[in-house]
Amino acid sequence: MLVLITYDVNTEDAAGRKRLRKVAKECVNYGQRVQNSVFECLLDAAQYAMLKHKLEALIDKSRDSLRFYNLGNHYQSRIEHIGTKESYEPEGVLIL
């Protein structure tokens, strides 16, 4: 399933900046950054549960926020992209 993850981490202090880096790093391990604090992640149910648990443990729930948008398995018809930064195919071949 494709999950869109967005986050807003309060960076007014050093601890917040550290949390922001950790959240971004964890998201990079599971998906593709599509905007500054937005990731598209192609996950199975176990990966989704694990990532959600990890991110919840990283944030300060009184200062930060996370949003998970479950687009499901038939996400292709639910995404429309306009503008720069060409879209990518999450299930396609990744060349490093």
Side-chain angles (χ1 to χ4, degrees):
M1 75 181 137
L2 185 70
V3 178
L4 187 72
I5 300 173
T6 67
Y7 54 87
D8 187 21
V9 176
N10 185 309
T11 58
E12 292 177 351
D13 58 15
R17 292 186 290 275
K18 185 174 181 179
R19 287 193 312 276
L20 176 65
R21 287 189 301 273
K22 287 183 177 185
V23 168
K25 186 175 181 179
E26 199 60 51
C27 288
V28 165
N29 291 335
Y30 287 86
Q32 174 72 34
R33 183 189 300 264
V34 293
Q35 291 190 359
N36 286 338
S37 296
V38 181
F39 282 81
E40 289 179 355
C41 302
L42 194 58
L43 308 168
D44 61 31
Q47 290 171 318
Y48 174 68
M50 181 174 289
L51 178 56
K52 186 176 175 185
H53 176 75
K54 287 179 180 181
L55 294 176
E56 283 184 67
L58 290 174
I59 68 165
D60 177 344
K61 292 179 184 177
S62 67
R63 303 179 76 196
D64 309 328
S65 68
L66 287 168
R67 286 181 173 258
F68 299 88
Y69 298 89
N70 296 297
L71 299 178
N73 292 322
H74 304 290
Y75 58 87
Q76 294 89 347
S77 63
R78 297 180 180 165
I79 300 172
E80 183 176 352
H81 177 253
I82 299 170
T84 63
K85 294 188 179 181
E86 289 293 319
S87 193
Y88 79 105
E89 177 57 44
E91 295 182 71
V93 176
L94 179 63
I95 300 174
L96 299 173

